[in-house]
Amino acid sequence: MGEVALELNDVRYAYPSGRKVLSGVSLSLEKGQRLGLVGANGAGKTTLLLLIMGLLEKTGGTIRVLGKEVASTRDFAWVRKRVGLLFQNADDQLFCPTVLDDVAFGPLNMGASPREARKTAEAVLSRLGLSHLARRVSHRLSGGEKKLVSLATVLAMEPAVLLLDEPTAGLDEEAARRLIGVVKGLSTACIIVSHEYEFLKETTSRIAGLAEGTVAFDEESSLVHTHVHVHPAGKVPHKHV
Amino acid sequence: MIAEPFAFGDSPMHRADPRLRAVFGAAFAFVTAVAWEFDAILAALFLAVAMAAAARLSPWRLAKRLFFVNGFIALLWIVVPATYPGRAVFSLGPVHLSADGLWVVARITIKSNAIVLSTLALLATMPMASLGQAMYFFRVPQKLVMLILLTYRYMFVMEKEYGRLLRAARVRGFSADTSMNTWRTLGYLLGMLFVRADQRARRVHQAMLCRGFSGRYPSLDAFCFRKTDWAWAAAMVCALALVGGLEWAKWPLS
Ligand SMILES: Nc1ncnc2c1ncn2[C@@H]1O[C@H](COP(=O)(O)OP(=O)(O)OP(=O)(O)O)[C@@H](O)[C@H]1O
Ligand SMILES: [Mg+2]
């Protein structure tokens, strides 16, 4: 067992409207490990990622990031410098005038000088094959381009843990391949939410399924893959017996 | 406007310090707006043209902008001379064109063009983020700067969102008339627009927090006051002195 990057223990959450979404989620992620997270629409995957970032306030349980328990607002400011979240909706993630501004936003906030920030931003964009978009106005990009640029904005902060919410949604085949290449090349610990098992099988070593507010299963990716194809029950996660 | 067609370029003006341009732009617009003497406002117009030249603004794009401004002013040319009190220089039936009225509109025309031109040359030649940064530098309250920057960024998104909602209604057979159903639907659309704007604002704020946002919008452009900026500063002070001098030198006489 390696060092633990992220540890959730009995995390609970109910929206202010009273809707209980998570009723005790426990998960752990080792450094360098990539974990797939699946679950039906509305199972609470996005909610879970927002809780880890402290963007929603958990109603119970504990969250440890890089060995440190996080609870207060100040803790989460610390978390946000170390954990990167790719939003499900890329439209929410890009808020600067141009792509380059957007990618440099994080490094600038972390205290980099404009020159360093620009260099980092350009390097990340070229690593994702997006250099040609640098000067473009971010809200005029196509959906897939927005998704890739959002990923660049997250990677530019060099996070120790990466949370990706449906990174392949809306990507064409070539972009998806490129994304797989990028993700596999990362040594960062990742949680990847996706509805595409092929993608998860290729990029992750474990897959956990969320259902009815808890972790319904958590096992090796290859097993889950065959499992899904054997059962017509399809994408609804259920326990292996 | 979000495309910032003038913001990126390689002219002497683009290289000048944004802070200098922001302050001078505001001062120049102010002096031109309060000036009244023809000498002064003509000098201002001349200087504004010179600034546009120094910024190497594309004449075609510039003409398009000025066309809109002057379209509005054309309305004034129709209305003001006919309604302004004073000696009539021309009468046609009940309509009398007043000489004073004509002079007033002429002034407005010159002033507006001078102000628009100088603003395009001085301020539109920097990305919005740099303008925001310059405003921070001059201690404009952070909240105000944030409001300006984000309004600028999201104005168009709102418009797009509205278009999307309207389309969603149209594909289900909605067409606007004066029936109760139309008003109700428009009510829904507007209400939905507010709800979505609010939700989006929350999510964008979350995204900003995730990337270490702490109340200040950073900019990629570091300010750097070069030697040539001293020359710019001197030229700008002279320009202000010229317009101001032509205006106020006459006051004791009149
Ligand atoms: N702001 C909110 N207020 C109340 N309930 C909400 C809110 N946001 C989400 N929910 C509810 O919480 C549940 C979990 O939502 P969440 O977005 O986490 O699902 P998800 O697993 O990410 O789904 P998907 O696969 O569709 O992205 C859903 O039933 C949803 O209706
Ligand atoms: Mg989701």
Side-chain angles (χ1 to χ4, degrees):
Chain A
M1 267 242 161
E3 266 180 282
V4 179
L6 190 66
E7 196 174 3
L8 309 182
N9 203 343
D10 197 29
V11 170
R12 295 154 187 275
Y13 185 72
Y15 275 99
S17 56
R19 187 188 173 81
K20 281 206 181 85
V21 180
L22 302 177
S23 52
V25 171
S26 301
L27 263 183
S28 85
L29 182 71
E30 284 168 33
K31 280 193 177 158
Q33 191 179 42
R34 288 193 293 270
L35 169 75
L37 186 62
V38 298
N41 292 132
K45 306 177 296 290
T46 300
T47 306
L48 186 65
L49 300 190
L50 294 178
L51 284 169
I52 296 173
M53 298 301 284
L55 297 170
L56 295 174
E57 212 173 312
K58 61 182 167 16
T59 40
T62 55
I63 298 176
R64 300 176 79 86
V65 175
L66 302 171
K68 181 178 152 154
E69 181 168 344
V70 287
S72 68
T73 318
R74 179 180 300 195
D75 294 338
F76 281 112
W78 177 87
V79 168
R80 288 172 199 149
K81 290 193 172 157
R82 286 158 185 84
V83 182
L85 169 63
L86 180 75
F87 281 58
Q88 182 165 8
N89 184 352
D91 261 318
D92 301 331
Q93 196 143 22
L94 304 176
F95 46 78
C96 297
T98 67
V99 168
L100 192 67
D101 286 321
D102 236 316
V103 182
F105 183 88
L108 284 171
N109 282 327
M110 312 247 300
S113 74
R115 179 190 295 258
E116 291 162 357
R118 179 185 292 266
K119 250 170 89 182
T120 313
E122 279 165 354
V124 173
L125 283 173
S126 96
R127 196 164 114 216
L128 294 181
L130 301 173
S131 297
H132 60 288
L133 297 179
R135 276 279 165 224
R136 293 274 297 275
V137 177
S138 35
H139 85 264
R140 290 219 185 115
L141 301 174
S142 82
E145 287 169 338
K146 276 184 198 159
K147 199 90 200 183
L148 290 170
V149 170
S150 302
L151 181 64
T153 67
V154 176
L155 290 179
M157 297 183 68
E158 292 165 7
V161 183
L162 202 53
L163 311 175
L164 307 177
D165 202 347
E166 302 197 15
T168 50
L171 294 189
D172 66 30
E173 202 135 340
E174 204 231 292
R177 288 245 68 88
R178 202 155 60 197
L179 184 78
I180 290 175
V182 170
V183 171
K184 283 171 108 171
L186 292 172
S187 54
T188 319
C190 286
I191 294 184
I192 306 176
V193 172
S194 180
H195 294 291
E196 291 174 45
Y197 284 87
E198 291 297 329
F199 171 69
L200 287 183
K201 188 193 153 212
E202 215 172 318
T203 51
T204 64
S205 55
R206 259 170 64 208
I207 294 183
L210 215 54
E212 283 159 15
T214 58
V215 178
F217 66 82
D218 182 346
E219 52 200 315
E220 259 179 59
S221 301
S222 48
L223 289 177
V224 179
H225 175 68
T226 48
H227 171 76
V228 168
H229 278 255
V230 170
H231 295 282
K235 292 180 175 177
V236 184
H238 43 275
K239 216 177 201 138
H240 237 286
V241 273
Chain B
M1 205 164 131
I2 189 96
E4 304 184 293
F6 300 116
F8 302 102
D10 187 34
S11 74
M13 183 66 88
H14 284 90
R15 283 192 293 270
D17 192 305
R19 292 167 295 185
L20 199 58
R21 286 188 275 155
V23 166
F24 175 64
F28 188 81
F30 178 76
V31 171
T32 309
V34 298
W36 184 250
E37 298 295 338
F38 267 101
D39 306 1
I41 57 178
L42 280 173
L45 183 61
F46 175 77
L47 287 166
V49 172
M51 289 177 222
R56 301 212 189 105
L57 300 185
S58 133
W60 169 239
R61 282 194 180 138
L62 208 54
K64 263 205 309 209
R65 291 290 172 95
L66 290 176
F67 178 80
F68 287 117
V69 177
N70 288 299
F72 177 70
I73 292 173
L75 276 180
L76 296 181
W77 277 100
I78 295 170
V79 177
V80 175
T83 54
Y84 206 82
R87 187 176 53 84
V89 284
F90 179 80
S91 298
L92 185 82
V95 180
H96 307 283
L97 298 187
S98 103
D100 291 347
L102 286 172
W103 285 121
V104 167
V105 195
R107 282 196 172 90
I108 294 176
T109 309
I110 298 171
K111 285 187 191 195
S112 321
N113 280 291
I115 291 175
V116 170
L117 262 178
S118 65
T119 310
L120 285 177
L122 293 163
L123 301 185
T125 44
M126 62 180 94
M128 205 59 186
S130 298
L131 185 59
Q133 211 64 13
M135 287 162 82
Y136 280 137
F137 182 83
F138 291 112
R139 300 278 179 276
V140 175
Q142 293 202 355
K143 287 210 171 109
L144 194 63
V145 180
M146 285 294 301
L147 265 176
I148 293 173
L149 288 176
L150 289 178
T151 306
Y152 175 72
R153 170 66 179 77
Y154 280 98
M155 203 160 39
F156 299 84
V157 179
M158 294 282 285
E159 191 193 337
K160 219 158 74 178
E161 194 80 50
Y162 179 70
R164 218 174 357 226
L165 288 168
L166 198 60
R167 228 175 315 153
R170 285 219 179 102
V171 295
R172 282 187 277 154
F174 171 76
S175 76
D177 52 31
T178 53
S179 69
M180 200 53 212
N181 184 40
T182 296
W183 292 114
R184 192 171 39 231
T185 309
L186 283 178
Y188 288 158
L189 286 183
L190 273 182
M192 206 55 205
L193 194 62
F194 282 119
V195 171
R196 288 209 187 164
D198 177 70
Q199 288 176 340
R200 181 184 284 269
R202 280 170 210 286
R203 290 190 309 253
V204 168
H205 185 236
Q206 292 182 339
M208 293 174 79
L209 288 177
C210 281
R211 284 199 272 148
F213 178 71
S214 55
R216 200 185 158 112
Y217 217 89
S219 161
L220 264 184
D221 302 295
F223 291 134
C224 144
F225 202 86
R226 297 189 193 82
K227 280 210 187 96
T228 48
D229 284 321
W230 286 110
W232 273 109
M236 288 169 175
V237 170
C238 290
L240 283 177
L242 178 66
V243 178
L246 286 172
E247 169 72 15
W248 284 286
K250 295 217 172 135
W251 273 12
L253 306 178
S254 57

